[in-house]
Amino acid sequence: MKRTRKALRTAVAVALPLALVGGSALIVPGGTPEPMGRAWSGRWLTTTTGSTAGTTLKDVRAIIGADTGNAAGLTGAGVGVALLDTGIAPVAGLPAGKVVNGPDLSFESQADNLRYLDSYGHGTHMAGIIVGNDTASGTKGIAPGAQLTSLKLGTANGAVDVSQVIAAVDWVVEHRNDDPANPIRVLNLSYGSGGNPSAASDPLQYAVERAWKAGIVVVVAAGNDGNAETRLTNPATDPYVLAVGAAATKGTVSTADDDLATFTNSGTNGKAIDVLAPGESILSLRDPGSAIDATYPAARSGTTLFRGSGTSQATAVTSAAVALLLQARPSLTPDQVKDLLKRGTALATGKAGTLRLKQINVNTALSLTPAAAGQSFPLSAGDGRLDDARGDSRVVSNNVPLTGEFTVFGPFHSANWAAMSAAERSWIGGTWMGIPIAGDGWTGTSFASKTWGSVVWQAIPWSGNRTWTDPSWSGRAWSGRAWSADDWSGARYASTEDWSTARWG
């Protein structure tokens, strides 16, 4: 019998704490392996492909029309990109001067040895696509001149709640101009919740719409549930944001054979995919010893690179392309950026041809005049139920799921929050909605050029534990070039959400 996505996630929620105790894949009832990436998108959106060589970022740049003409000399200089993900690791391919650490809102922020650092490996892969510069392999990101602000939300197994994502988006909006030389103009969100809330009141859609209206291009992964899933994940369903699907590039730089990747949600019910970008077997930075590195050793390429596929990777490619476009044309609004990128290269093959999808092309975007009229969709009021935004995506602690109108940090009153968010006052220093969840400013220290401070969370965890400390955190440390953890099993916090990488390999 065919399983619904909700039924599958419910099974995952029950099995996940056991699955994390060893083993590379989660086996749900029915015997279907669940890739590790599913722990991130509602869901962090990533997948392996049949290609063993991988697609280089040099080839990606050629595919998206950014290696010739007016685009060839663009680097994204002067453009800030916010990466809401699993943190980043201080690998050699990520120059410290191009990286800023915003507040760490993950559960691992409560561990000195894990704070800001990417213990999963997903965020480092995304960062490499955007601003990487790996001299060992000659790999450069699509926008190596951009300034990357990392907000860590996910743990080593991807555990995250939608409330942490909302708080992070709020912070980006309020602090978008902290660096006048590199204002945040792009927000990369390789995440999608399992909720299907009313667009008229959804808090998550309200948050990303506020960012959009503040002049930030919000780039969101469409989802990795496969072409048979006709709905995009939330907030890619929001009509304003730029929803990105992954293109299968078939190992060539020609777009003539490109098609919609089989793992991408098709978007034929409700909002459609806005654009496609390369997203299969993308070679980006490896996070040595991280959870995915230990679980998928076959995905390694040399000593510094790692292969990953998913709408996550396609989203990072698109965020970098937006940075290039904004460097060249800084007066463009988010609506205009979206309009220009949607008029890219038409794909004629397979599912992409049937759905009339287009792949981003930077040179084409640079040559066009944006439409005079902007988007005028109804806006979310933001006063809906937080639990509806979660849907069947649940973060659990000691097998206790977080439910109801509660954030990770405490009670949530959506109408009050929406009013404070609209006034850009949901954050005051390190306090979000009256609860201290980060330090009070740029007072922290880390490997990055600048770091937002940290704080010990005073709230009591919803599971009844007396502290936020996870016993599995001990013995894990970044030793300068790699993680020294023996394994990443036994986590107290887990999630039925996933980041939008479908597979690694």
Side-chain angles (χ1 to χ4, degrees):
M1 181 174 68
K2 184 177 180 180
R3 299 171 62 85
T4 65
R5 185 168 66 175
K6 183 172 182 178
L8 177 62
R9 290 212 187 113
T10 301
V12 174
V14 172
L16 187 53
L18 296 177
L20 291 172
V21 186
S24 62
L26 170 61
I27 307 298
V28 300
T32 303
E34 186 73 3
M36 191 168 188
R38 295 282 295 188
W40 244 159
S41 174
R43 304 162 24 127
W44 296 94
L45 304 173
T46 298
T47 193
T48 52
T49 67
S51 171
T52 56
T55 302
T56 67
L57 294 181
K58 180 179 179 180
D59 284 347
V60 169
R61 186 154 182 146
I63 292 166
I64 66 170
D67 67 333
T68 60
N70 292 331
L74 297 176
T75 65
V79 179
V81 179
L83 179 66
L84 277 57
D85 215 282
T86 61
I88 58 175
V91 295
L94 284 176
K98 304 308 299 179
V99 175
V100 170
N101 274 323
D104 184 342
L105 305 183
S106 73
F107 297 109
E108 290 177 349
S109 70
Q110 300 305 287
D112 293 342
N113 53 321
L114 301 176
R115 189 177 301 121
Y116 309 115
L117 297 168
D118 181 12
S119 52
Y120 188 179
H122 187 278
T124 302
H125 205 259
M126 302 303 106
I129 292 171
I130 300 170
V131 299
N133 189 1
D134 179 42
T135 56
S137 65
T139 296
K140 280 192 175 184
I142 306 301
Q147 188 76 10
L148 191 75
T149 298
S150 169
L151 277 79
K152 179 176 174 177
L153 304 179
T155 64
N157 60 24
V160 65
D161 182 61
V162 69
S163 59
Q164 292 162 291
V165 177
I166 290 172
V169 174
D170 275 357
W171 186 91
V172 170
V173 171
E174 294 188 30
H175 293 275
R176 64 191 182 277
N177 294 318
D178 281 12
D179 180 358
N182 300 280
I184 295 174
R185 300 288 308 277
V186 189
L187 191 158
N188 187 98
L189 192 54
S190 296
Y191 165 92
S193 81
N196 183 22
S198 168
S201 60
D202 178 30
L204 180 56
Q205 292 190 40
Y206 181 88
V208 296
E209 287 173 2
R210 292 298 308 167
W212 192 270
K213 294 298 184 180
I216 300 170
V217 181
V218 182
V219 188
V220 186
N224 293 333
D225 295 304
N227 294 171
E229 176 53 61
T230 59
R231 289 188 57 85
L232 307 184
T233 56
N234 188 25
T237 49
D238 186 88
Y240 283 92
V241 303
L242 189 60
V244 183
T249 56
K250 313 292 179 65
T252 72
V253 295
S254 169
T255 59
D257 59 354
D258 292 0
D259 195 2
L260 180 68
T262 57
F263 52 77
T264 301
N265 297 24
S266 62
T268 56
N269 177 16
K271 182 184 173 178
I273 294 170
D274 289 313
V275 297
L276 297 181
E280 276 200 352
S281 202
I282 304 298
L283 279 165
S284 184
L285 296 178
R286 176 188 171 206
D287 183 0
S290 64
I292 61 168
D293 185 63
T295 304
Y296 302 106
R300 299 170 188 166
S301 178
T303 59
T304 60
L305 300 182
F306 204 76
R307 293 189 305 278
S309 307
T311 52
S312 272
Q313 280 74 8
T315 299
V317 169
T318 303
S319 290
V322 172
L324 301 183
L325 188 55
L326 288 172
Q327 178 192 2
R329 302 173 70 175
S331 64
L332 291 174
T333 67
D335 284 355
Q336 290 172 331
V337 168
K338 181 177 178 180
D339 172 64
L340 295 176
L341 289 179
K342 287 183 67 174
R343 294 152 68 185
T345 305
L347 302 186
T349 302
K351 189 81 169 178
T354 300
L355 297 177
R356 299 182 178 180
L357 297 173
K358 293 185 177 182
Q359 188 161 220
I360 61 171
N361 187 293
V362 178
N363 264 319
T364 298
L366 289 171
S367 70
L368 296 172
T369 300
Q375 301 183 107
S376 58
F377 302 106
L379 292 163
S380 172
D383 57 358
R385 286 168 41 86
L386 186 63
D387 223 34
D388 290 342
R390 288 190 185 101
D392 49 24
S393 298
R394 301 286 164 175
V395 64
V396 298
S397 175
N398 287 348
N399 292 321
V400 179
L402 178 59
T403 61
E405 298 311 288
F406 293 89
T407 72
V408 165
F409 316 105
F412 185 75
H413 305 282
S414 59
N416 293 346
W417 162 76
M420 296 297 287
S421 180
E424 298 187 16
R425 295 288 292 170
S426 64
W427 279 89
I428 299 176
T431 297
W432 182 66
M433 295 305 295
I435 302 174
I437 62 174
D440 282 332
W442 297 103
T443 58
T445 57
S446 73
F447 58 89
S449 61
K450 190 166 65 171
T451 301
W452 192 271
S454 62
V455 73
V456 176
W457 293 351
Q458 298 300 317
I460 302 299
W462 71 92
S463 62
N465 297 324
R466 297 186 65 181
T467 71
W468 293 96
T469 303
D470 187 331
S472 70
W473 292 342
S474 62
R476 298 174 178 175
W478 180 262
S479 59
R481 294 186 178 182
W483 285 100
S484 60
D486 294 329
D487 66 73
W488 295 97
S489 63
R492 170 174 287 169
Y493 302 102
S495 177
T496 58
E497 306 193 279
D498 64 51
W499 298 90
S500 303
T501 293
R503 302 185 190 99
W504 300 99

